[in-house]
Amino acid sequence: MRRDLPYALSGLALGALLLGNSVLAPDAAPVRPVDVVLILAMAAALAVCRRYPAVALLVVTAAMLALHVRVHPGVSAAFPVLGAVYVAAWQGHRLTSALASVVFLSGFLARDISVAPADRPGQLIAERTSLLLGWFVAANVAGLVARQRRAYLEQVEQRAIEAERTREEMALRRAGEERLRIARDLHDSLTHNISVIKVQAGIAVHLARKHGEEPPAALLAIQEASGAAMRELRGTLDVLRAPSDGDGIGLGRLGELAERTRAAGVPVQLTVTGQPRDLPAEVDQAGYRIVQEALTNVARHAGAATAQIHIQYAPAELTVSVTDDGEATPARPVSPGVGLRGMRERVTGLGGTLHTAARDDGGFAVRATIPLDAPA
């Protein structure tokens, strides 16, 4: 209601302006109760213009045309229509805004021509109509520019959120790649030489005992030290080659993710079919990230909606599905953003497929199918 207050105050101010102009204009007709009702209808429509822009624009256009025909308050009758046209274009109702502009201008011009006295030059009517035409074109263009700017700012904000969310994941992946590089370097530079030392020391000890001689203490120490060094080096390489996902991101933590989403105000239902089992690390992490991004989109764009998560384990593939009953419809296609493109790249990188589309009965659906035996 607080966000609607500026619109309501604007409607009241324009209503007062129309009443004052109708009283003061020399060629205006007397204001009757019906005219006051038309002004009040205009003010009420502007009060809800933010939530119902198309309906409000139609009501304002009809009320102001009727007031212009009955009272003729001058060009001030166009001010409420200009404001409603701007808001409707800003909210994406481009065709409705253009049609309302054409209808109001046509009615305004037709009324001026029909009541114009014979001695009144047509140049005045043409100039006033041209001025109104420029105003309406400017209102439509300004609304479209404001909508494009809002979409750009939302895209920038979404990219910043996505970068913040994936920064830790990228750091862990780079750390894992660095660990693997170090493991390869250690293996190439140390393992071979230590293995040669251990084998040669073992052969020397074996030959000494075969000839009935006691091996030198230094030789026994070399054999023992090389064996211990090999064991420690293998342990170090195993640690370096371990998966880099230190925080354990995976489908096993979907319960925590669902609880956090519920706490944010979005009801979530989680369903698991099939036999849960250990998955490849890349598939496990990808499934979690897809659900996380889909729930983020539900919270940001679906309005008051309920989300359903369905995880299906099959012998050869994993299916992750997230649907909601929000505001998306096939008639209002969703433009792919950074999140949807990121999900698609993640799934296709694992040899899977991703389907995202608005549902026929309202809402949005995300369905990813990832094979379990395909190389990443």
Side-chain angles (χ1 to χ4, degrees):
M1 294 300 295
R2 291 181 179 178
R3 296 177 64 183
D4 292 330
L5 184 59
Y7 296 88
L9 295 177
S10 299
L12 293 176
L14 289 173
L17 175 65
L18 285 171
L19 285 175
N21 207 33
S22 300
V23 173
L24 298 177
D27 56 344
V31 177
R32 295 180 173 83
V34 176
D35 305 320
V36 176
V37 171
L38 291 175
I39 294 176
L40 292 177
M42 176 274 299
L46 286 182
V48 297
C49 187
R50 180 183 65 86
R51 288 181 288 175
Y52 311 103
V55 176
L57 176 58
L58 295 178
V59 172
V60 170
T61 302
M64 292 299 96
L65 268 180
L67 184 68
H68 180 68
V69 171
R70 291 177 52 82
V71 181
H72 193 261
V75 294
S76 59
F79 296 162
V81 186
L82 286 168
V85 163
Y86 169 80
V87 175
W90 174 47
Q91 296 286 356
H93 302 277
R94 294 178 295 179
L95 182 59
T96 305
S97 301
L99 288 176
S101 302
V102 172
V103 169
F104 183 83
L105 286 172
S106 301
F108 194 94
L109 178 61
R111 198 273 178 189
D112 280 3
I113 294 176
S114 64
V115 300
D119 57 346
R120 185 178 183 182
Q123 181 181 359
L124 296 177
I125 298 178
E127 288 178 351
R128 185 159 70 171
T129 303
S130 300
L131 179 63
L132 285 178
L133 177 61
W135 287 356
F136 274 96
V137 171
N140 280 273
V141 172
L144 294 178
V145 171
R147 178 174 177 80
Q148 293 295 329
R149 176 174 174 77
R150 183 179 66 176
Y152 170 74
L153 292 178
E154 289 178 353
Q155 187 77 357
V156 170
E157 181 183 0
Q158 186 176 0
R159 289 179 180 176
I161 294 174
E162 178 70 15
E164 181 68 23
R165 185 168 58 245
T166 58
R167 183 176 59 182
E168 182 179 354
E169 180 183 353
M170 293 176 63
L172 290 173
R173 184 169 63 247
R174 289 172 181 170
E177 293 172 354
E178 182 66 13
R179 289 208 297 255
L180 289 176
R181 186 190 66 80
I182 295 173
R184 287 193 298 266
D185 291 344
L186 286 175
H187 181 275
D188 294 341
S189 62
L190 297 178
T191 305
H192 175 71
N193 293 330
I194 295 177
S195 297
V196 170
I197 294 172
K198 183 176 183 298
V199 170
Q200 294 295 331
I203 293 174
V205 170
H206 174 72
L207 291 176
R209 288 174 177 170
K210 184 177 180 181
H211 291 90
E213 300 175 0
E214 185 65 26
L219 191 58
L220 292 175
I222 292 173
Q223 183 185 31
E224 181 64 26
S226 60
M230 284 294 297
R231 289 192 297 271
E232 293 178 3
L233 185 57
R234 289 195 186 99
T236 303
L237 294 179
D238 289 341
V239 171
L240 290 175
R241 291 193 179 107
S244 61
D245 193 359
D247 57 355
I249 291 298
L251 294 178
R253 299 181 62 178
L254 281 185
E256 301 175 16
L257 179 61
E259 287 298 329
R260 290 199 301 268
T261 307
R262 294 188 189 102
V266 179
V268 178
Q269 300 175 2
L270 175 60
T271 304
V272 179
T273 57
Q275 183 61 40
R277 62 185 185 276
D278 293 336
L279 300 172
E282 298 86 355
V283 176
D284 201 21
Q285 295 173 26
Y288 179 91
R289 294 301 187 190
I290 290 168
V291 175
Q292 183 184 46
E293 181 60 35
L295 291 180
T296 300
N297 289 339
V298 172
R300 286 174 55 84
H301 305 298
T306 299
Q308 294 84 31
I309 306 172
H310 184 199
I311 307 297
Q312 182 179 2
Y313 291 87
E317 64 183 17
L318 173 73
T319 302
V320 178
S321 174
V322 181
T323 59
D324 65 79
D325 53 1
E327 300 174 352
T329 61
R332 298 170 59 186
V334 177
S335 301
V338 175
L340 291 180
R341 288 198 296 269
M343 281 193 286
R344 188 173 302 280
E345 292 171 358
R346 188 185 296 272
V347 173
T348 55
L350 295 172
T353 57
L354 179 72
H355 298 283
T356 59
R359 303 166 61 195
D360 293 335
D361 53 351
F364 199 77
V366 175
R367 180 182 176 87
T369 303
I370 306 175
L372 302 181
D373 55 353

